[in-house]
Amino acid sequence: MIRLGAIDDDRMLLEGFRAWLSGVDDFTLVACAATVDELLRTSPQVDVVMLDLRLADNSEPASNVARLVAAGHRVCVVSTHHDQAAALTTVEAGAAGYVTKDNDLPRLLEALREVAAGGTAHSRELAFTLMQDHRPERPKLSEKQRTLLVLLASGLTLEAAARRMEIRPGTAKTYLDRVKEKYEQVGRPARTKLELYERVNEDGLT
Amino acid sequence: MAVSSSNLADPASDSGRRRADQFLITCLGIFRAIQLLQATLVTIVRYDQYKIWWPVAAALVVVASWSAVMYTTSRRRGQVRPSWYAADVLVTIGSTLLVEQLCQPSEVQTWTNWAFLIGCNAAMLGALVLPGWAAMAMSVVLAGIGLAGAGAALASGQASMSNALGNTATYIGLTAMTVLALRYLRRTGAALDAANQRSLAAEVAQAAERSRFEDRLTQYRTLHDTVLSTLTALSRGGLDVQLPEVRARATREADYLRRLLMGEVATSPARTLHEALSFVIEDVTALGLRTHYLTDGVPGDLPPRAVTALAEAAREALTNVIRHSHTNEAWLTSAGQTDGEIVVSVADRGRGFRVERAVTGLGLQRSIRDRLTAAGGTALIDSQPGEGTLVELRWSAAAAGVVSQNGAGR
């Protein structure tokens, strides 16, 4: 049973999601919140946090992700529409998945399962985001990693992409995990600072 | 405020300064023509007042021909070239000295000495070529030469000094007047030009704003007819969201809003690739295909033939999904790369087909490829039975440019 925490400022959407999730066997919605603060305050026991990209409190998506990761959570970001720049920052901040809400719920659940298992969700939107990273400071990816991203970004399933590249789907997943690691390394300095900040904060509060 | 069409008729002469100069050249030209007419009459009637007649007549012919050429050419050009002005000054000085020497001394300050007025005209013309103070200086010089030429007559008392000074004052006075008049005319001309420019710019801006406003109005109307009415019906409890048709409608309209957020969605003929693809998506959506669309980094100023080739090839690929894939979902991606290449891909997760088998049978493949190669791009169609199809369209300005240079007459 996968324990899910959801952060979304849209109450109606969350209620609908909860209702829908009640019919799914391997998921249970354990915690709901409108902001990261609200969720962290309750220190929930969850396997994966589903975080909406834009929250009503105008918080920075990257810092939201960083704080959740610093608190030990695995994060999958969801957004109503694709936002290239913001999505990139969340990957650097440590998000393991990025899915847009125009996908049907089974696909969203598939991504959440992957993230809960400790892997990187191989959604089309995540691949597209990384493929279109043209910043000069972007991490260097290998030829094979780039090819995989391009195929996934076009909409191919992981299996189809792997077969085209003549590798096993498991190998393709490893490629993706490596890519995510490279991004995490780029984002590490900022995250370490944030972790320190969070710890100081906690000590101050208790 | 309408912009008079005559102002814009000849773009080369739209400078107010040029028109001011042209006007003054015309006036001075007329002035000189009158002087030459007078000179002709005098030379003929008072022929006996010259010591030797024929050089005076010859000088008149030279001055007349030269004036005709210089004034007509300068007027057409709207400016007097400095070299031409220098020539005019020389011709003036030459004819002044000649005529004054050959005049009977008693006639030097009468109309018989027609060179006086030519010299005055030349001094005034200086206002068009020289800065104000230099034109004044030139008028003093020319007046001085006139005085010098009449030196003998003045010395012998047959010409009066006060007359001579009066004539000099006329030179200088008329030149000053010309300088001031030209300054005023040029300033007015420039002000008129500036006003015309502003008016034209305002009209252009207004037209652009109006077309954007109309686009927006049509978008609002579309939103009103679709999203707004759906939400209103929902709020009244009039829509059963369990029904697939209702959810399909909500999906369509959410996708439309997403496209609006990704970039301007036009209502008039598509200019950008995003607009063209949005139209394509709307069309195939009406046929029941759900298209997941992502775009990033595509410039808004691609050449029209590239936009058309990519969009129409994408349309064929998406239609193919409807016809052959046995699914109702497709993924459309359009991405600009840092090297300027544009990649548009259409993928489905349907039945797929054997690419090698379908070489000539599917005219579709040839059609997609031909569209791209005609525009200087490439198309790749890849499929696996049971694994879906991927159509990859590539175009770049660099590659297209190379092809069009040596692809002529293919």
PDB file of all heavy atoms in Angstrom, chain A residues 9-26:
ATOM      1  N   ASP A   9      -3.477  23.718  -3.827  1.00  0.00           N
ATOM      2  CA  ASP A   9      -4.321  24.751  -3.240  1.00  0.00           C
ATOM      3  C   ASP A   9      -5.761  24.652  -3.748  1.00  0.00           C
ATOM      4  O   ASP A   9      -6.611  25.430  -3.322  1.00  0.00           O
ATOM      5  CB  ASP A   9      -3.753  26.148  -3.524  1.00  0.00           C
ATOM      6  CG  ASP A   9      -3.550  26.371  -5.002  1.00  0.00           C
ATOM      7  OD1 ASP A   9      -3.697  25.401  -5.780  1.00  0.00           O
ATOM      8  OD2 ASP A   9      -3.224  27.491  -5.403  1.00  0.00           O
ATOM      9  N   ASP A  10      -6.029  23.721  -4.620  1.00  0.00           N
ATOM     10  CA  ASP A  10      -7.376  23.568  -5.166  1.00  0.00           C
ATOM     11  C   ASP A  10      -8.117  22.505  -4.372  1.00  0.00           C
ATOM     12  O   ASP A  10      -7.966  21.303  -4.621  1.00  0.00           O
ATOM     13  CB  ASP A  10      -7.270  23.199  -6.647  1.00  0.00           C
ATOM     14  CG  ASP A  10      -8.604  23.254  -7.347  1.00  0.00           C
ATOM     15  OD1 ASP A  10      -9.642  23.210  -6.664  1.00  0.00           O
ATOM     16  OD2 ASP A  10      -8.598  23.346  -8.588  1.00  0.00           O
ATOM     17  N   ARG A  11      -8.932  22.951  -3.399  1.00  0.00           N
ATOM     18  CA  ARG A  11      -9.612  22.011  -2.503  1.00  0.00           C
ATOM     19  C   ARG A  11     -10.508  21.051  -3.281  1.00  0.00           C
ATOM     20  O   ARG A  11     -10.540  19.861  -3.021  1.00  0.00           O
ATOM     21  CB  ARG A  11     -10.481  22.790  -1.506  1.00  0.00           C
ATOM     22  CG  ARG A  11      -9.691  23.495  -0.421  1.00  0.00           C
ATOM     23  CD  ARG A  11      -9.233  22.526   0.655  1.00  0.00           C
ATOM     24  NE  ARG A  11     -10.357  21.882   1.317  1.00  0.00           N
ATOM     25  CZ  ARG A  11     -11.020  22.395   2.340  1.00  0.00           C
ATOM     26  NH1 ARG A  11     -10.702  23.582   2.798  1.00  0.00           N
ATOM     27  NH2 ARG A  11     -12.012  21.726   2.884  1.00  0.00           N
ATOM     28  N   MET A  12     -11.228  21.650  -4.266  1.00  0.00           N
ATOM     29  CA  MET A  12     -12.192  20.861  -5.019  1.00  0.00           C
ATOM     30  C   MET A  12     -11.487  19.725  -5.755  1.00  0.00           C
ATOM     31  O   MET A  12     -11.947  18.585  -5.779  1.00  0.00           O
ATOM     32  CB  MET A  12     -12.893  21.768  -6.026  1.00  0.00           C
ATOM     33  CG  MET A  12     -14.205  21.248  -6.523  1.00  0.00           C
ATOM     34  SD  MET A  12     -15.085  22.498  -7.462  1.00  0.00           S
ATOM     35  CE  MET A  12     -14.130  22.579  -8.949  1.00  0.00           C
ATOM     36  N   LEU A  13     -10.343  20.064  -6.330  1.00  0.00           N
ATOM     37  CA  LEU A  13      -9.592  19.062  -7.073  1.00  0.00           C
ATOM     38  C   LEU A  13      -9.144  17.954  -6.140  1.00  0.00           C
ATOM     39  O   LEU A  13      -9.223  16.769  -6.458  1.00  0.00           O
ATOM     40  CB  LEU A  13      -8.376  19.747  -7.712  1.00  0.00           C
ATOM     41  CG  LEU A  13      -7.866  19.088  -8.979  1.00  0.00           C
ATOM     42  CD1 LEU A  13      -8.828  19.389 -10.112  1.00  0.00           C
ATOM     43  CD2 LEU A  13      -6.485  19.635  -9.326  1.00  0.00           C
ATOM     44  N   LEU A  14      -8.660  18.344  -4.957  1.00  0.00           N
ATOM     45  CA  LEU A  14      -8.178  17.348  -3.989  1.00  0.00           C
ATOM     46  C   LEU A  14      -9.312  16.425  -3.558  1.00  0.00           C
ATOM     47  O   LEU A  14      -9.125  15.204  -3.442  1.00  0.00           O
ATOM     48  CB  LEU A  14      -7.583  18.046  -2.767  1.00  0.00           C
ATOM     49  CG  LEU A  14      -6.118  18.492  -2.906  1.00  0.00           C
ATOM     50  CD1 LEU A  14      -5.616  19.109  -1.621  1.00  0.00           C
ATOM     51  CD2 LEU A  14      -5.240  17.328  -3.315  1.00  0.00           C
ATOM     52  N   GLU A  15     -10.481  16.993  -3.345  1.00  0.00           N
ATOM     53  CA  GLU A  15     -11.612  16.165  -2.938  1.00  0.00           C
ATOM     54  C   GLU A  15     -11.966  15.169  -4.026  1.00  0.00           C
ATOM     55  O   GLU A  15     -12.215  13.993  -3.760  1.00  0.00           O
ATOM     56  CB  GLU A  15     -12.830  17.048  -2.624  1.00  0.00           C
ATOM     57  CG  GLU A  15     -12.670  17.892  -1.374  1.00  0.00           C
ATOM     58  CD  GLU A  15     -12.246  17.055  -0.177  1.00  0.00           C
ATOM     59  OE1 GLU A  15     -12.871  15.994   0.074  1.00  0.00           O
ATOM     60  OE2 GLU A  15     -11.267  17.437   0.495  1.00  0.00           O
ATOM     61  N   GLY A  16     -11.964  15.676  -5.279  1.00  0.00           N
ATOM     62  CA  GLY A  16     -12.247  14.797  -6.393  1.00  0.00           C
ATOM     63  C   GLY A  16     -11.209  13.696  -6.498  1.00  0.00           C
ATOM     64  O   GLY A  16     -11.531  12.521  -6.733  1.00  0.00           O
ATOM     65  N   PHE A  17      -9.945  14.085  -6.283  1.00  0.00           N
ATOM     66  CA  PHE A  17      -8.859  13.125  -6.354  1.00  0.00           C
ATOM     67  C   PHE A  17      -9.010  12.070  -5.264  1.00  0.00           C
ATOM     68  O   PHE A  17      -8.839  10.869  -5.506  1.00  0.00           O
ATOM     69  CB  PHE A  17      -7.533  13.870  -6.214  1.00  0.00           C
ATOM     70  CG  PHE A  17      -6.330  13.011  -6.395  1.00  0.00           C
ATOM     71  CD1 PHE A  17      -6.033  12.453  -7.636  1.00  0.00           C
ATOM     72  CD2 PHE A  17      -5.481  12.748  -5.335  1.00  0.00           C
ATOM     73  CE1 PHE A  17      -4.921  11.657  -7.805  1.00  0.00           C
ATOM     74  CE2 PHE A  17      -4.359  11.947  -5.507  1.00  0.00           C
ATOM     75  CZ  PHE A  17      -4.079  11.399  -6.740  1.00  0.00           C
ATOM     76  N   ARG A  18      -9.365  12.516  -4.068  1.00  0.00           N
ATOM     77  CA  ARG A  18      -9.545  11.587  -2.953  1.00  0.00           C
ATOM     78  C   ARG A  18     -10.644  10.578  -3.282  1.00  0.00           C
ATOM     79  O   ARG A  18     -10.486   9.362  -3.079  1.00  0.00           O
ATOM     80  CB  ARG A  18      -9.909  12.345  -1.681  1.00  0.00           C
ATOM     81  CG  ARG A  18     -10.062  11.469  -0.448  1.00  0.00           C
ATOM     82  CD  ARG A  18     -10.822  12.223   0.634  1.00  0.00           C
ATOM     83  NE  ARG A  18     -10.045  13.344   1.148  1.00  0.00           N
ATOM     84  CZ  ARG A  18      -9.082  13.205   2.080  1.00  0.00           C
ATOM     85  NH1 ARG A  18      -8.804  12.025   2.583  1.00  0.00           N
ATOM     86  NH2 ARG A  18      -8.424  14.262   2.506  1.00  0.00           N
ATOM     87  N   ALA A  19     -11.753  11.100  -3.817  1.00  0.00           N
ATOM     88  CA  ALA A  19     -12.867  10.218  -4.166  1.00  0.00           C
ATOM     89  C   ALA A  19     -12.427   9.194  -5.200  1.00  0.00           C
ATOM     90  O   ALA A  19     -12.725   8.001  -5.088  1.00  0.00           O
ATOM     91  CB  ALA A  19     -14.043  11.048  -4.694  1.00  0.00           C
ATOM     92  N   TRP A  20     -11.713   9.650  -6.202  1.00  0.00           N
ATOM     93  CA  TRP A  20     -11.259   8.758  -7.263  1.00  0.00           C
ATOM     94  C   TRP A  20     -10.293   7.722  -6.704  1.00  0.00           C
ATOM     95  O   TRP A  20     -10.353   6.540  -7.048  1.00  0.00           O
ATOM     96  CB  TRP A  20     -10.579   9.589  -8.350  1.00  0.00           C
ATOM     97  CG  TRP A  20     -10.364   8.804  -9.590  1.00  0.00           C
ATOM     98  CD1 TRP A  20     -11.218   8.674 -10.628  1.00  0.00           C
ATOM     99  CD2 TRP A  20      -9.223   8.014  -9.896  1.00  0.00           C
ATOM    100  NE1 TRP A  20     -10.687   7.850 -11.578  1.00  0.00           N
ATOM    101  CE2 TRP A  20      -9.448   7.421 -11.146  1.00  0.00           C
ATOM    102  CE3 TRP A  20      -8.027   7.728  -9.236  1.00  0.00           C
ATOM    103  CZ2 TRP A  20      -8.540   6.584 -11.760  1.00  0.00           C
ATOM    104  CZ3 TRP A  20      -7.112   6.889  -9.847  1.00  0.00           C
ATOM    105  CH2 TRP A  20      -7.379   6.324 -11.104  1.00  0.00           C
ATOM    106  N   LEU A  21      -9.421   8.177  -5.811  1.00  0.00           N
ATOM    107  CA  LEU A  21      -8.389   7.290  -5.275  1.00  0.00           C
ATOM    108  C   LEU A  21      -8.984   6.188  -4.396  1.00  0.00           C
ATOM    109  O   LEU A  21      -8.376   5.129  -4.207  1.00  0.00           O
ATOM    110  CB  LEU A  21      -7.387   8.130  -4.470  1.00  0.00           C
ATOM    111  CG  LEU A  21      -5.945   7.622  -4.417  1.00  0.00           C
ATOM    112  CD1 LEU A  21      -5.386   7.516  -5.825  1.00  0.00           C
ATOM    113  CD2 LEU A  21      -5.102   8.564  -3.586  1.00  0.00           C
ATOM    114  N   SER A  22     -10.175   6.451  -3.862  1.00  0.00           N
ATOM    115  CA  SER A  22     -10.761   5.450  -2.974  1.00  0.00           C
ATOM    116  C   SER A  22     -11.064   4.165  -3.726  1.00  0.00           C
ATOM    117  O   SER A  22     -11.157   3.090  -3.137  1.00  0.00           O
ATOM    118  CB  SER A  22     -12.049   5.990  -2.334  1.00  0.00           C
ATOM    119  OG  SER A  22     -12.977   6.307  -3.354  1.00  0.00           O
ATOM    120  N   GLY A  23     -11.163   4.278  -5.072  1.00  0.00           N
ATOM    121  CA  GLY A  23     -11.413   3.071  -5.852  1.00  0.00           C
ATOM    122  C   GLY A  23     -10.132   2.384  -6.292  1.00  0.00           C
ATOM    123  O   GLY A  23     -10.182   1.349  -6.975  1.00  0.00           O
ATOM    124  N   VAL A  24      -8.975   2.894  -5.907  1.00  0.00           N
ATOM    125  CA  VAL A  24      -7.703   2.308  -6.332  1.00  0.00           C
ATOM    126  C   VAL A  24      -7.129   1.488  -5.176  1.00  0.00           C
ATOM    127  O   VAL A  24      -7.072   1.945  -4.034  1.00  0.00           O
ATOM    128  CB  VAL A  24      -6.712   3.432  -6.735  1.00  0.00           C
ATOM    129  CG1 VAL A  24      -5.364   2.846  -7.082  1.00  0.00           C
ATOM    130  CG2 VAL A  24      -7.263   4.226  -7.906  1.00  0.00           C
ATOM    131  N   ASP A  25      -6.685   0.250  -5.515  1.00  0.00           N
ATOM    132  CA  ASP A  25      -6.301  -0.683  -4.461  1.00  0.00           C
ATOM    133  C   ASP A  25      -5.005  -0.343  -3.763  1.00  0.00           C
ATOM    134  O   ASP A  25      -4.904  -0.467  -2.543  1.00  0.00           O
ATOM    135  CB  ASP A  25      -6.161  -2.102  -5.059  1.00  0.00           C
ATOM    136  CG  ASP A  25      -7.509  -2.642  -5.478  1.00  0.00           C
ATOM    137  OD1 ASP A  25      -8.514  -2.162  -4.906  1.00  0.00           O
ATOM    138  OD2 ASP A  25      -7.545  -3.521  -6.363  1.00  0.00           O
ATOM    139  N   ASP A  26      -3.972   0.058  -4.536  1.00  0.00           N
ATOM    140  CA  ASP A  26      -2.643   0.134  -3.915  1.00  0.00           C
ATOM    141  C   ASP A  26      -2.258   1.529  -3.452  1.00  0.00           C
ATOM    142  O   ASP A  26      -1.094   1.789  -3.147  1.00  0.00           O
ATOM    143  CB  ASP A  26      -1.577  -0.405  -4.886  1.00  0.00           C
ATOM    144  CG  ASP A  26      -1.581   0.367  -6.192  1.00  0.00           C
ATOM    145  OD1 ASP A  26      -2.613   0.996  -6.513  1.00  0.00           O
ATOM    146  OD2 ASP A  26      -0.552   0.347  -6.898  1.00  0.00           O
TER     147      ASP A  26
END
